[in-house]
Amino acid sequence: MPGGDAREAAKAVTGTFEDFPFLPELPARGPGADMIGRTAGLLVELYARVEPSGWRLGDRPGRDTKRARSWLGEDLDALEEFTQEYEGPLKVQAVGPWTLAANLELRNGEAALSDAGACRDLAASLAEGLRQHLAELRRRIPGAQLVLQLDEPSLTAVLRGQVKSASGYRTHRAVDRQVVEQTLRDLVGVHTSGPVVVHSCAPDVPFALLRRAGAAAVSFDFSLLTERDDEAVGEAVEGGTRLFTGVVPGTEGPLSDPAGSVMGVRTLWRRLGLSPGLLAEAVTVTPACGLAGASPGYARTALAHCARAARSLADNPE
């Protein structure tokens, strides 16, 4: 979400998504509020600091780690305030292990992705941090049914060997798909009491791999789908995987009517030969990606538009 006021953001998301609020992230506040820094602050016995090139693992918690944890605490306080007596699903998100490994640097300046042992340590630390984070949320909002989202925008690049080295002149070797899948499965297994969503706003989302890893839902930018994805999407829906379809632009611009925003989803359904009756239970309507680059006014409008588009899809599945 845009802006830097935790209470305003919490008020906006709980007021707009009354039946599916989420814990907002406010990266405009600076390092530590960005997605990598925020998740680095969750790590257990691993610490990161800001360098000119980005976030780098270090030996001890410094001011950057403390800042990240402080801002997360502010956000949790604000969400708790606006979810008193709330009962129902509530989404929280963190960067997944592979996007974290592609964006966190080792002491030598290379991505953690370059070292298999570092990747394993990072995933284990993240798993323990998420356990603690989810426990804290259950304590603060006991009526919430937590939905955990793992943000993996770098996943396709990791699988294809497209993550650049520190010099920029070469790329890191592609990680074996079975290793990627098993690591994700271990992270999904952290949240045993609710569903896990994996989000990627990059092209060529690996739907089948994410399903095998145990993701209950896949979140993606709908505009990046091609007919090449049809089979994987159809198999996902028929296998019970929910789709978080990013159909509402995340940046400022004119919005179509709510029914128009989900027209592509209906077209996909017909092309796949899926039952229209499945739409309401298989699809959640979302922005294409984060709303941090939009104005606060547009962000609120986009969230409200998602809710209206979802109602349109449920009321008129044909």
Side-chain angles (χ1 to χ4, degrees), residues 55-305:
W55 284 90
R56 182 172 296 182
L57 291 167
D59 296 322
R60 60 184 66 84
R63 63 181 182 182
D64 296 320
T65 298
K66 291 172 185 172
R67 187 188 300 121
R69 291 175 176 174
S70 173
W71 273 328
L72 177 59
E74 275 185 36
D75 296 339
L76 289 168
D77 289 344
L79 187 67
E80 183 180 4
E81 178 185 347
F82 287 100
T83 50
Q84 295 294 310
E85 311 301 323
Y86 174 74
E87 294 185 356
L90 184 146
K91 185 172 76 68
V92 297
Q93 56 282 332
V95 174
W98 294 109
T99 296
L100 203 58
N103 289 276
L104 268 182
E105 298 174 357
L106 300 173
R107 290 176 183 82
N108 64 5
E110 288 293 352
L113 188 67
S114 64
D115 183 318
C119 289
R120 287 192 295 272
D121 291 347
L122 200 53
S125 175
L126 176 60
E128 186 54 37
L130 285 174
R131 284 189 190 95
Q132 295 180 13
H133 185 43
L134 292 167
E136 171 77 354
L137 280 150
R138 290 188 199 101
R139 184 186 66 76
R140 287 173 176 262
I141 312 168
Q145 297 151 15
L146 297 179
V147 177
L148 172 63
Q149 176 174 305
L150 297 174
D151 289 321
E152 283 284 18
S154 299
L155 182 58
T156 300
V158 167
L159 289 166
R160 292 185 172 179
Q162 295 172 337
V163 176
K164 289 189 175 181
S165 65
S167 68
Y169 293 120
R170 61 181 184 86
T171 56
H172 294 293
R173 183 181 303 171
V175 181
D176 183 89
R177 295 181 78 88
Q178 289 185 322
V179 173
V180 169
E181 184 181 321
Q182 183 58 54
T183 302
L184 284 169
R185 186 180 295 115
D186 291 344
L187 265 294
V188 169
V190 166
H191 187 34
T192 54
S193 60
V196 176
V197 185
V198 179
H199 167 75
S200 173
C201 48
D204 299 319
V205 175
F207 288 93
L209 183 152
L210 296 177
R211 286 178 56 221
R212 291 194 303 271
V218 180
S219 172
F220 56 96
D221 181 342
F222 190 82
S223 71
L224 298 178
L225 273 191
T226 67
E227 292 193 19
R228 190 172 63 240
D229 298 305
D230 279 6
E231 184 179 350
V233 172
E235 287 177 355
V237 173
E238 289 174 343
T241 304
R242 195 173 182 93
L243 305 180
F244 281 39
T245 56
V247 297
V248 176
T251 51
E252 220 91 9
L255 293 172
S256 68
D257 65 289
S261 290
V262 288
M263 189 183 303
V265 180
R266 291 193 181 93
T267 301
L268 172 67
W269 234 244
R270 285 194 295 271
R271 195 165 73 231
L272 296 177
L274 295 168
S275 165
L278 273 175
L279 273 169
E281 64 186 66
V283 172
T284 297
V285 178
T286 73
C289 205
L291 292 164
S295 69
Y298 177 82
R300 288 191 295 271
T301 299
L303 292 179
H305 191 85

